[in-house]
Amino acid sequence: MSRYLPAIAALLALTPAFAHASEARAKTSRLATDNCSEIGSSMVSNAPASPAYGATQLQCGQQLVLRLERETGRVGNNPVWTPVDQIVMTKPTPRHELLGPGYCSSSQFPDDATIVALGTMAEQADGSYGSENVVAAWRFDLKREKMVAIPVNGVLCAVDGGD
């Protein structure tokens, strides 16, 4: 019996890690930063002729980390993501949040749907929500695989009341 204990212990130690990886859609490579937890993710681009890109938001103590990731393979049906760039930021107030792509736009980059901002949201008279107090903004430059800071003037994030 004692000769099997190391093998059983190794299997028991690995079982939760493999179970988590399959549930997390192969996101184990996304959480390389110590003492961080994933609080959100979104697709940035999924064009058929190019690699898929996603963004993952991590909470690391008092700081937020936004990671740009490229799909580099698959494990079964699950994508494998490789970080290509990241931004570390501190929220100026507890109400500030990262406002993601698909909801934000910039008058300086009108055709770019990959704008993210750090700001707050406020309910509007029509029941929708709009950004206010935007303190920082970035756009995903997928050709260079970078997140580039952009001016906050002209950045607007909005969500319909039904969303």
Side-chain angles (χ1 to χ4, degrees):
M1 178 74 169
S2 64
R3 67 183 174 156
Y4 297 111
L5 286 177
I8 292 170
L11 284 173
L12 289 174
L14 292 176
T15 300
F18 285 126
H20 175 71
S22 65
E23 291 173 25
R25 297 182 314 272
K27 290 183 183 177
T28 53
S29 65
R30 292 178 156 207
L31 299 175
T33 306
D34 293 336
N35 302 319
C36 295
S37 58
E38 183 177 326
I39 57 175
S41 62
S42 61
M43 288 300 293
V44 174
S45 173
N46 197 14
S50 64
Y53 287 92
T56 298
Q57 184 180 352
L58 305 167
Q59 181 74 45
C60 305
Q62 296 298 323
Q63 294 183 320
L64 294 175
V65 174
L66 180 63
R67 268 200 189 146
L68 175 62
E69 300 164 324
R70 178 180 3 97
E71 184 179 347
T72 55
R74 296 190 84 70
V75 176
N77 290 330
N78 302 318
V80 175
W81 298 97
T82 300
V84 293
D85 194 19
Q86 74 178 24
I87 297 170
V88 179
M89 61 198 92
T90 303
K91 296 190 322 182
T93 72
R95 287 194 59 229
H96 276 80
E97 59 186 311
L98 198 58
L99 309 171
Y103 299 111
C104 297
S105 62
S106 170
S107 60
Q108 294 182 8
F109 301 95
D111 297 328
D112 197 339
T114 61
I115 306 292
V116 293
L118 184 62
T120 59
M121 295 292 277
E123 187 171 4
Q124 307 299 309
D126 63 358
S128 66
Y129 288 83
S131 58
E132 62 179 28
N133 198 14
V134 173
V135 295
W138 301 268
R139 69 178 189 85
F140 295 110
D141 183 344
L142 299 180
K143 289 179 183 168
R144 294 182 17 214
E145 294 188 333
K146 295 280 182 197
M147 290 179 283
V148 180
I150 62 172
V152 296
N153 295 342
V155 171
L156 176 65
C157 303
V159 179
D160 291 338
D163 288 347

